[in-house]
């Protein structure tokens, strides 16, 4: 398993009636993001559109990672966490023992882990996300007096964090087989390069009887949302650091060879944006060997 002292800085939407100001801001942000992406020529930032010289492509991917990490902390966490909190609490309350979180980002899930969690390790390919995580980890506890009970719990939980590993979900070779009690993924499988390989690695590192906990957005089943997803997927990947809208992640989890997979469909909000970003949550258990 990862060394206990690892600390690595690595590369790696409701209807108009009844909407709050924060929900309006989130809607405006998403709309503006698409507009900016289109007006600046999304093709230049998404190599899927046109072939680009490798140095140019690498520079654009680097910029995309930087921009996403900054927007994630500034906008996304503030609004998404409010909508998804109850669902994440339900799923992550099942975590226990030694936990490996795929795509740990700035540590947003620390607030949700129960006392049964003993150690937390992270996987994070985006270097700028890890910068944010390191800032949080380097902040002294007494600087957060007056926080909510949830945030105070997160302060305790972060003391169980042992480090981040420089790799993507497709290659967990630094993690021993059968070494983790729980693997967690929240909004990560949408952006990995190879979902099937990532799931195989997740299953490999879990102990027999270990659990894979997940909250993911997935491909829409209903029209016109599925058609809209296909139309905007390339610009979405541009502003979402490789995030795919049209992945049937639930089916891929069921096909990954877990002993059983309990998956529930849900929308984090009503109306257009809820239909455009349908979610799944659940737990998949590795069988006894």
């Amino acid at each position: 398993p990862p060394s206990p002292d690892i600390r690595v800085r690595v590369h790696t939407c409701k209807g108009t009636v009844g909407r709050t100001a924060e929900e309006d801001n989130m809607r405006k942000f998403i709309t503006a993001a698409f507009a900016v992406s289109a007006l600046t020529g999304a093709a230049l930032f998404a190599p899927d559109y046109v072939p680009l010289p490798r140095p140019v492509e690498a520079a654009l991917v680097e910029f995309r990672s930087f921009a996403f990490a900054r927007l994630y902390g500034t906008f996304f966490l503030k609004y998404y966490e409010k909508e998804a909190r109850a669902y994440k609490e339900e799923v992550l309350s099942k975590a226990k023992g030694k936990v490996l979180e795929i795509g740990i980002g700035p540590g947003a899930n620390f607030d949700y882990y129960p006392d049964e969690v003993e150690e937390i390790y992270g996987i994070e390919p985006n270097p700028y996300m890890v910068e944010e995580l390191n800032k949080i980890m380097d902040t002294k506890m007494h600087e957060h007096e007056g926080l909510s009970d949830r945030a105070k719990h997160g302060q305790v939980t972060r003391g169980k964090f042992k480090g981040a590993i420089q790799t993507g979900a497709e290659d967990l070779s630094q993690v021993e087989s059968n070494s983790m009690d729980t693997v967690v993924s929240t909004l990560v499988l949408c952006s990995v390069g190879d979902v099937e390989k990532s799931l195989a690695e997740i299953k490999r590192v879990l102990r027999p009887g270990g659990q894979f906990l997940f909250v993911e957005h997935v491909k829409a089943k209903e029209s016109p949302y599925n058609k809209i997803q296909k139309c905007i997927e390339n610009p979405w990947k541009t502003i979402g650091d490789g995030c795919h809208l049209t992945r049937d992640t639930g089916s891929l989890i069921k096909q990954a060879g877990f002993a059983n997979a309990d998956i529930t469909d849900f929308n984090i909000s009503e109306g257009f944006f809820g239909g455009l970003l349908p979610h799944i949550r659940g737990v998949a258990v590795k069988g006894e060997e």
Side-chain angles (χ1 to χ4, degrees):
S3 171
D5 59 353
I6 290 179
R7 286 295 304 279
V8 186
R9 298 183 183 272
V10 303
H11 271 289
T12 6
C13 292
K14 289 178 176 175
T16 302
V17 177
R19 273 207 316 260
T20 66
E22 287 188 345
E23 290 165 340
D24 273 330
N25 289 336
M26 183 59 170
R27 187 187 184 95
K28 291 175 183 177
F29 164 69
I30 294 176
T31 303
F34 280 123
V36 170
S37 180
L39 291 173
T40 57
L44 295 177
F45 295 96
D48 291 336
Y49 285 121
V50 292
L52 296 173
R54 288 187 177 181
V56 176
E57 181 178 339
L60 292 175
V61 170
E62 183 77 8
F63 172 77
R64 189 173 69 182
S65 296
F66 168 80
F68 179 73
R70 295 301 181 263
L71 289 173
Y72 186 91
T74 304
F75 294 99
F76 181 78
L77 278 182
K78 181 177 180 180
Y79 301 111
Y80 180 83
E81 288 296 318
K82 177 183 176 182
E83 298 290 344
R85 182 174 299 150
Y87 304 109
K88 292 179 73 172
E89 281 181 341
E90 174 193 326
V91 174
L92 299 185
S93 66
K94 300 178 176 69
K96 60 183 178 180
K98 188 179 292 186
V99 174
L100 178 67
E101 182 172 341
I102 308 297
I104 194 169
N109 288 334
F110 285 164
D111 293 355
Y112 299 98
Y113 287 127
D115 295 338
E116 288 77 10
V117 168
E118 299 171 0
E119 298 177 355
I120 303 171
Y121 299 90
I123 298 295
E124 179 53 64
N126 187 322
Y128 304 104
M129 283 289 196
V130 176
E131 285 183 7
E132 297 300 315
L133 177 60
N134 285 332
K135 289 177 183 177
I136 292 173
M137 297 305 299
D138 290 339
T139 302
K140 296 180 180 179
M141 301 281 273
H142 66 76
E143 294 178 2
H144 294 278
E145 294 179 359
L147 290 179
S148 65
D149 290 341
R150 178 190 301 279
K152 290 177 182 177
H153 176 76
Q155 297 283 2
V156 175
T157 302
R158 79 178 191 179
K160 301 176 182 180
F161 177 65
K162 303 302 180 182
I165 304 172
Q166 182 177 348
T167 187
E170 300 91 339
D171 179 15
L172 304 181
S173 57
Q174 297 183 63
V175 185
E176 291 182 0
S177 299
N178 306 316
S179 61
M180 294 290 162
D181 299 294
T182 306
V183 175
V184 170
S185 170
T186 59
L187 302 188
V188 174
L189 295 180
C190 56
S191 59
V192 298
D194 188 323
V195 183
E196 290 91 341
K197 191 171 183 180
S198 298
L199 290 169
E201 281 288 83
I202 287 170
K203 188 160 71 74
R204 178 185 65 79
V205 303
L206 278 171
R207 291 182 175 133
Q211 55 186 353
F212 171 44
L213 308 179
F214 52 89
V215 177
E216 299 284 346
H217 74 79
V218 295
K219 176 181 179 180
K221 299 177 182 178
E222 300 177 357
S223 180
Y225 302 114
N226 51 7
K227 295 178 181 179
I228 296 173
Q229 283 183 333
K230 290 180 181 179
C231 289
I232 66 175
E233 180 153 70
N234 277 332
W236 184 274
K237 285 191 291 186
T238 300
I239 62 175
D241 199 18
C243 171
H244 293 71
L245 288 171
T246 60
R247 283 185 170 169
D248 190 2
T249 305
S251 295
L252 294 174
I253 292 173
K254 291 178 180 178
Q255 298 165 10
F258 290 97
N260 59 70
D262 182 11
I263 302 177
T264 301
D265 298 311
F266 72 102
N267 290 347
I268 63 169
S269 64
E270 301 175 358
F272 175 76
F273 286 108
L276 185 63
L277 293 174
H279 282 57
I280 59 172
R281 69 184 188 275
V283 53
V285 180
K286 180 176 178 179
E288 300 292 335
E289 296 180 346

